[in-house]
Amino acid sequence: MSVRPGGRSKSNYPLTWVSVGLILIFALAPPLCAQTITEIIDPTGDGGGNSLDEAYGIAVDGSGNVFVTGTLSHNAFKITPGGLITEIIDSTGDGAGNPLDRTSGIAVDGSGIVYVMGNGSDNVFKITPGGVITEIIDALGDGAGNPLYWPVGIAVDRSGNVYVTGGFSNNAFKITPGGAITEIIDSTGDGEGNPLDRTYGIAVDGSGNVFVTGTLSDNAFKITPGGVITEIIDALGDGAGNPLYFPYGIAVDGSGNVYVTGGYSNNTFKITPGGVIIEIIDVLGDGAGNPLYFPHGIAVDGSCNVYLAGIDSDNAFKITPSGVITEIIDALGDGAGNPLDVSSGIAVDGSGNVYVTGETSDNAFKIRQFPGFFLFADGFECGDCTAWSSKVP
């Protein structure tokens, strides 16, 4: 939202050429921004005996509640905007004989329903706001001979359909609110000689198109609601000498641009709906001495800003639509003695607050961004992300 001075001064004098000039100067200048970093959960978890060990997945709902998974503590927590921390699921899973082992990905829908996956227990759970826990898929997958092994990526669309990747089963599933399970892609990939190996990240757009990454096949696919599968990027990356190796995270914006992180190639690509592929960040990170090593989690906000976490560089970056790259957190964490180590998961809310997990620091941070007084530059609330695509280097 652009912020401009409102009203006249007490004298009610009209604007002079001096004040107009000042407005123009500020308008043409980069936005003045500041941020605060707060640790929102640490190894003590809820502080009531339920610890957080190896923080991994993170998600945020429309009310600002944050959800974090603990891989080795086999649980997940809800953190309210006021800081109240509650364990919402533990290793007992649904308490009906379906355990949760090695909690990995997490997602939340518009109704506040949370979905948590256990890659060690080969299953996914649905947790209602009232705390009712239901297993929605297990190792049997669709029950028609297509199993789910080592689930790691999860996404949910506006209709409440859940999408899950099986890392070791090399596939992905769609689970409807009514419980119907369909395998939407398998190891054959697009069936045209481009296989899918070690499925990892998953994302879904507003039209129901699903996007998945294959870490060992060095590629990503688009799956339409009608089941048409297309490889949208491969190991060649942008085809201009910037390869894609070991892709992990994937995200999609409101205009259908897809973003893929390359873990071993230390970079990230933007793929437009027309198939144009652009490298938007590489190992140099922000180019100011803050490198990017092994990018993993990725998120995009409504203003077309991209956020990604670097596992081995213990940091996270913001990339604006015009290509400005800023490191928003580093290994120092909040700078108050709470470090960030192995930054894996990342999420962003509707207000532009960013949330990052530290896998081996067993914690998570909120990065609250404060835009400056004049915000006429750099696509703030740009709306249509395609309008800025030509500006990305």
Side-chain angles (χ1 to χ4, degrees):
M1 177 176 63
S2 296
V3 181
R4 295 175 173 83
R8 292 184 178 179
S9 65
K10 291 182 180 179
S11 64
N12 281 327
Y13 289 152
L15 289 173
T16 65
W17 67 270
V18 175
S19 56
V20 170
L22 287 172
I23 290 175
L24 288 174
I25 289 171
F26 278 107
L28 294 174
L32 302 175
C33 298
Q35 64 177 32
T36 60
I37 301 174
T38 308
E39 186 184 53
I40 57 173
I41 190 169
D42 64 19
T44 64
D46 61 8
N50 301 303
S51 62
L52 173 66
D53 191 357
E54 200 168 284
Y56 183 81
I58 193 163
V60 58
D61 68 18
S63 299
N65 298 298
V66 183
F67 304 88
V68 175
T69 62
T71 300
L72 297 184
S73 47
H74 315 294
N75 57 1
F77 295 90
K78 174 183 177 180
I79 307 148
T80 69
L84 177 64
I85 302 174
T86 308
E87 186 185 54
I88 58 173
I89 191 170
D90 62 19
S91 62
T92 62
D94 59 8
N98 301 303
L100 173 65
D101 184 40
R102 291 190 58 89
T103 327
S104 54
I106 191 166
V108 58
D109 68 18
S111 301
I113 298 172
V114 182
Y115 303 89
V116 176
M117 55 203 331
N119 57 31
S121 46
D122 299 322
N123 54 3
V124 177
F125 294 93
K126 171 183 175 179
I127 308 165
T128 70
V132 177
I133 302 174
T134 310
E135 185 185 58
I136 59 172
I137 190 172
D138 60 19
L140 294 177
D142 60 8
N146 302 303
L148 173 68
Y149 298 147
W150 201 259
V152 64
I154 190 166
V156 59
D157 67 21
R158 297 171 183 173
S159 300
N161 299 298
V162 182
Y163 304 86
V164 176
T165 60
F168 290 169
S169 47
N170 303 315
N171 56 1
F173 295 90
K174 174 182 178 179
I175 307 157
T176 70
I181 302 173
T182 309
E183 185 185 55
I184 57 173
I185 191 170
D186 61 20
S187 62
T188 63
D190 60 7
E192 299 292 332
N194 301 304
L196 174 65
D197 192 5
R198 196 60 61 84
T199 328
Y200 204 93
I202 193 164
V204 58
D205 68 18
S207 299
N209 298 298
V210 182
F211 304 88
V212 301
T213 58
T215 56
L216 294 185
S217 46
D218 299 320
N219 56 2
F221 295 90
K222 173 183 177 180
I223 307 150
T224 69
V228 177
I229 302 173
T230 309
E231 186 184 56
I232 58 172
I233 191 171
D234 62 19
L236 294 176
D238 60 8
N242 302 303
L244 172 69
Y245 298 147
F246 238 66
Y248 274 88
I250 192 165
V252 58
D253 67 27
S255 296
N257 300 297
V258 182
Y259 305 86
V260 177
T261 63
Y264 285 177
S265 47
N266 300 311
N267 57 1
T268 297
F269 295 92
K270 172 183 177 179
I271 306 153
T272 71
V276 177
I277 301 174
I278 306 159
E279 186 184 54
I280 59 172
I281 190 172
D282 62 19
V283 69
L284 296 177
D286 60 7
N290 302 304
L292 172 66
Y293 298 141
F294 211 107
H296 188 267
I298 188 167
V300 59
D301 68 20
S303 299
C304 320
N305 300 296
V306 179
Y307 304 86
L308 56 94
I311 282 183
D312 288 349
S313 45
D314 303 318
N315 58 1
F317 294 90
K318 172 182 178 179
I319 308 168
T320 70
S322 58
V324 176
I325 302 172
T326 308
E327 185 185 56
I328 57 174
I329 191 171
D330 61 18
L332 294 176
D334 61 7
N338 302 303
L340 172 68
D341 192 19
V342 183
S343 46
S344 297
I346 194 164
V348 59
D349 67 22
S351 300
N353 301 303
V354 186
Y355 306 85
V356 179
T357 56
E359 196 169 337
T360 55
S361 48
D362 304 318
N363 56 1
F365 296 90
K366 175 180 179 179
I367 306 161
R368 188 178 180 192
Q369 301 181 81
F370 299 93
F373 191 66
F374 291 92
L375 295 174
F376 300 100
D378 211 20
F380 205 79
E381 278 196 0
C382 66
D384 181 3
C385 300
T386 59
W388 300 90
S389 60
S390 63
K391 295 187 177 181
V392 180

